[in-house]
Amino acid sequence: MQRRLVLHLPNLPLHDVLFESSLARNWAGESEVRALNPLREGATPELSYLGLPTEVVVEPGVLTVAALKAEPPARAWNFHLSLLSDEAGIAQRLPFKLTSDEEAAIKANLPRLNTKTFTFLPGEQLDHALVVEANLDLGTTPASQIVGESWASKLPDGDGEQHLRGYIDAGLNMLSELEFNRIRHEEGQPIVNLVWPWGHGRRPDLPNLAFERGEPSKVLTDSLRMDGLARLVRLRPVRQDLGSGLPFKFEKALSHCDGTTTYLVLETPGKFAVDAMWEEVGWWLRELDNRLLSPLREERKERPMDLLLVISGAEKGLAFRYRTYRPAESSVPFSLESAQEAKPIDVGDLVRNFLRE
């Protein structure tokens, strides 16, 4: 039986490290290459990764709450809750992972802010959720957009703002006093004290993809949000036993590529790129090839493989389709010039076309 893989590397820039990687040398040269349109601003990019239309927006908070396996009331508001650092009124991104003790302290103390209408849902590291059972009509600012800015100028604004603003203030006061933050301060590390709710929404009706597509496909991912979407469309997320970052368990991912269609959404290289960690990006791409893709190709006699690899983000991107049973030599090279000059296609359309064949 043939394997079909839809592999996304979101927000990975088209940098020299990509074009010098073995993905370009060993795969793209025998593939059909396509240029991609930028992902639509304000949409839910995770929908396009599964070939779903993006007209329906699923807010980040909804995806996070779903990933945490919570079932809040239908009318409740689902927020993503990001942890940042307040430095003299300026929001700063936290550059290091929390230790297990620090993470445990966060999860033990944030429930102290719960009320009859506000419920904290513990997540992982710097990403958690908040469920609010109240009437709200307000705007919030994504955590990524307040970094380096005065967070007080970006507070929730609208009907119900006072409750969320009070939650942020209470969180700031409480977390700043925790022992682990005192130690971080003494060591010159940024303290974890800014709790930022954003991306709120209510859970929409989404299709049951396992039923519609006739297969209970797995979604292998290091993304909390993608985990949540997989659950909402009744696919099978695999995330926690894969790890993330440099210790990503490629062999474990390989063992899960056992069905006819498997979706992989791996954010790690894109996150390295944000901090210009190009050496880590190059290393990660080599590991992806050596420990996941090449072993799958070696099984081509027993299990032919049809691979769609997608590199997409806010700028134009590239994709290639590699079939072990039909090597191709594309008229479009895998290059930055192709991304800029070739006729592009939307990511969702590309995935849908792939799945129809």
Side-chain angles (χ1 to χ4, degrees):
M1 182 180 295
Q2 174 181 274
R3 282 190 180 105
R4 289 198 305 182
L5 303 177
V6 183
L7 170 57
H8 291 265
L9 303 179
N11 303 312
L12 179 62
L14 301 181
H15 186 274
D16 286 346
V17 72
L18 172 63
F19 299 120
E20 294 168 0
S21 72
S22 59
L23 292 180
R25 294 193 308 270
N26 302 337
W27 295 82
E30 298 182 14
S31 303
E32 301 168 12
V33 177
R34 293 297 304 267
L36 301 174
N37 286 318
L39 295 173
R40 186 164 59 87
E41 186 176 358
T44 306
E46 290 83 1
L47 292 170
S48 63
Y49 303 160
L50 298 178
L52 288 167
T54 56
E55 285 76 15
V56 175
V57 175
V58 188
E59 298 294 348
V62 173
L63 299 179
T64 303
V65 169
L68 299 181
K69 304 177 186 179
E71 294 287 344
R75 299 299 295 172
W77 292 99
N78 300 208
F79 286 81
H80 188 100
L81 201 64
S82 295
L83 298 180
L84 301 161
S85 181
D86 164 56
E87 295 185 9
I90 303 299
Q92 300 292 348
R93 186 162 56 93
L94 291 157
F96 309 112
K97 278 191 174 182
L98 300 179
T99 68
S100 57
D101 288 343
E102 290 171 341
E103 186 175 7
I106 292 289
K107 292 180 179 180
N109 282 279
L110 280 181
R112 293 165 52 194
L113 303 181
N114 287 355
T115 67
K116 290 183 179 179
T117 55
F118 279 53
T119 304
F120 167 74
L121 298 179
E124 301 166 5
Q125 287 289 310
L126 307 177
D127 297 300
H128 304 271
L130 179 69
V131 172
V132 179
E133 298 178 57
N135 293 324
L136 301 175
D137 185 10
L138 47 72
T140 59
T141 303
S144 62
Q145 295 181 19
I146 71 168
V147 172
E149 304 285 341
S150 166
W151 58 265
S153 67
K154 308 289 185 179
L155 287 168
D157 184 34
D159 292 342
E161 66 178 42
Q162 69 276 16
H163 302 297
L164 280 172
R165 291 184 177 197
Y167 187 88
I168 294 169
D169 287 339
L172 184 69
N173 293 330
M174 180 187 68
L175 295 180
S176 296
E177 299 300 321
L178 295 183
E179 176 66 12
F180 84 84
N181 269 329
R182 183 189 64 78
I183 296 172
R184 288 176 73 97
H185 177 71
E186 290 178 352
E187 294 177 347
Q189 295 187 46
I191 66 174
V192 187
N193 61 347
L194 182 56
V195 184
W196 195 257
W198 62 278
H200 61 295
R202 289 172 171 146
R203 187 171 296 189
D205 290 328
L206 292 172
N208 183 329
L209 290 189
F211 176 77
E212 288 191 359
R213 295 178 180 174
E215 53 183 354
S217 295
K218 294 178 182 178
V219 179
L220 313 184
T221 186
D222 53 8
S223 163
L224 193 67
R225 287 169 52 165
M226 197 67 213
D227 183 312
L229 179 60
R231 295 178 190 279
L232 292 177
V233 297
R234 304 299 191 270
L235 298 183
R236 298 169 58 192
V238 178
R239 182 177 58 86
Q240 290 183 324
D241 62 344
L242 298 181
S244 61
L246 291 177
F248 185 80
K249 300 174 183 176
F250 289 99
E251 285 80 9
K252 180 70 74 171
L254 178 64
S255 71
H256 282 288
C257 295
D258 54 2
T260 54
T261 301
T262 304
Y263 304 89
L264 299 96
V265 180
L266 305 176
E267 294 185 337
T268 295
K271 290 181 177 179
F272 287 152
V274 170
D275 293 323
M277 299 169 64
W278 299 114
E279 184 175 345
E280 287 79 2
V281 171
W283 182 91
W284 196 95
L285 294 177
R286 287 194 301 274
E287 294 291 286
L288 172 68
D289 186 0
N290 294 336
R291 296 168 59 187
L292 178 63
L293 297 182
S294 289
L296 289 171
R297 180 166 55 185
E298 290 170 4
E299 297 178 4
R300 58 186 174 273
K301 290 184 179 179
E302 297 80 16
R303 295 286 300 274
M305 179 176 66
D306 195 350
L307 166 69
L308 179 65
L309 188 144
V310 181
I311 300 167
S312 62
E315 306 295 332
K316 289 185 176 180
L318 285 171
F320 65 73
R321 182 177 183 181
Y322 177 91
R323 285 173 274 195
T324 55
Y325 52 90
R326 192 192 307 171
E329 185 171 341
S330 178
S331 59
V332 177
F334 190 73
S335 67
L336 181 61
E337 290 74 21
S338 295
Q340 295 171 340
E341 298 171 7
K343 184 178 180 180
I345 185 173
D346 287 342
V347 171
D349 291 337
L350 179 70
V351 174
R352 282 190 290 276
N353 293 342
F354 176 79
L355 295 174
R356 288 192 190 108
E357 295 186 19

